[in-house]
Amino acid sequence: MMILIGATAIACPLYMWIERETDGAVSWSGLHERVLSLFHSSDGQGGILEKIAYPCILFFPLLTPFAATWTIALLPIQLSARRESLRRLASRPGAAAAFSAGNTCILVIAFFFINFIFLGPYKHNSHTTSVSFELEFLMSPIIIGSSVLASWMMQLIGKRWRANSGWVDRLGRALGVFWLIAGAASTGLLILQ
């Protein structure tokens, strides 16, 4: 349990960095302003569906830093929770979601840092780098959600789906469902922009 608390502590500054690099485009205050504009806007621009869908869709990418650190933290918890064979561990959907999403999270974070090292820090005054960072940030749940979907489809096709009732497997399944929904929400957010 302490690993998850540490993961949350890592996610908070990571979220603040993302909010700063996107110039507030991806932030809780931006979501709050969008929701307030639903009730105070009478300009007639855009359909009501778009006005309601945008804040709902934006909610999931805002949770991405927290879900990413929890997913990575779930990897050692999955391995140390029980002394099971790797074959049995791989048949649990929570473990499969944690391994596929965790490894993909590590690759996505490595990609962010490689971009940061070779291309330099994202400039606050340049609109193109902010848009580029926002696009990379919105693409990450799509990539991670796709990896969870692929691992679960392989389990279903191979008839290896054996869910466990333990909290570790349930948390893995919940994070897997989050990544699927966040990937769909990010896709919708990219379409609406």
Side-chain angles (χ1 to χ4, degrees):
M1 193 59 110
M2 291 301 290
I3 293 175
L4 295 177
I5 293 171
T8 305
I10 292 170
C12 290
L14 182 63
Y15 166 75
M16 291 178 0
W17 179 69
I18 290 169
E19 182 178 2
R20 186 183 69 231
E21 292 302 323
T22 60
D23 295 328
V26 179
S27 67
W28 290 105
S29 59
L31 176 64
H32 183 259
E33 290 170 10
R34 274 304 262 219
V35 170
L36 285 179
S37 72
L38 287 175
F39 301 107
H40 299 302
S41 175
S42 61
D43 58 359
Q45 286 183 312
I48 189 70
L49 182 62
E50 182 179 325
K51 287 184 177 182
I52 292 173
Y54 188 81
C56 293
I57 289 172
L58 185 62
F59 177 73
F60 288 100
L62 289 174
L63 294 177
T64 299
F66 298 98
T69 55
W70 273 45
T71 303
I72 293 170
L74 199 56
L75 292 173
I77 293 173
Q78 286 278 1
L79 291 174
S80 66
R82 291 202 171 109
R83 301 286 182 219
E84 292 182 280
S85 67
L86 288 178
R87 180 179 228 175
R88 180 170 280 178
L89 189 64
S91 68
R92 290 192 293 156
F99 291 132
S100 65
N103 290 326
T104 309
C105 281
I106 291 170
L107 290 174
V108 166
I109 290 169
F111 176 75
F112 275 120
F113 284 121
I114 288 171
N115 268 351
F116 188 77
I117 290 170
F118 288 116
L119 299 178
Y122 294 99
K123 309 276 191 275
H124 290 289
N125 57 2
S126 174
H127 179 69
T128 57
T129 54
S130 177
V131 169
S132 171
F133 182 81
E134 186 178 346
L135 181 64
E136 291 173 11
F137 175 70
L138 288 175
M139 289 297 291
S140 60
I142 297 170
I143 296 167
I144 298 167
S146 299
S147 73
V148 171
L149 181 64
S151 68
W152 281 355
M153 291 304 295
M154 291 303 293
Q155 280 187 326
L156 287 173
I157 290 170
K159 297 180 182 170
R160 296 237 179 239
W161 186 283
R162 291 178 181 83
N164 191 348
S165 62
W167 72 270
V168 177
D169 193 53
R170 286 184 182 178
L171 180 60
R173 283 181 285 175
L175 286 170
V177 169
F178 169 81
W179 286 117
L180 292 175
I181 294 171
S186 292
T187 303
L189 194 59
L190 289 172
I191 290 170
L192 285 177
Q193 284 187 344

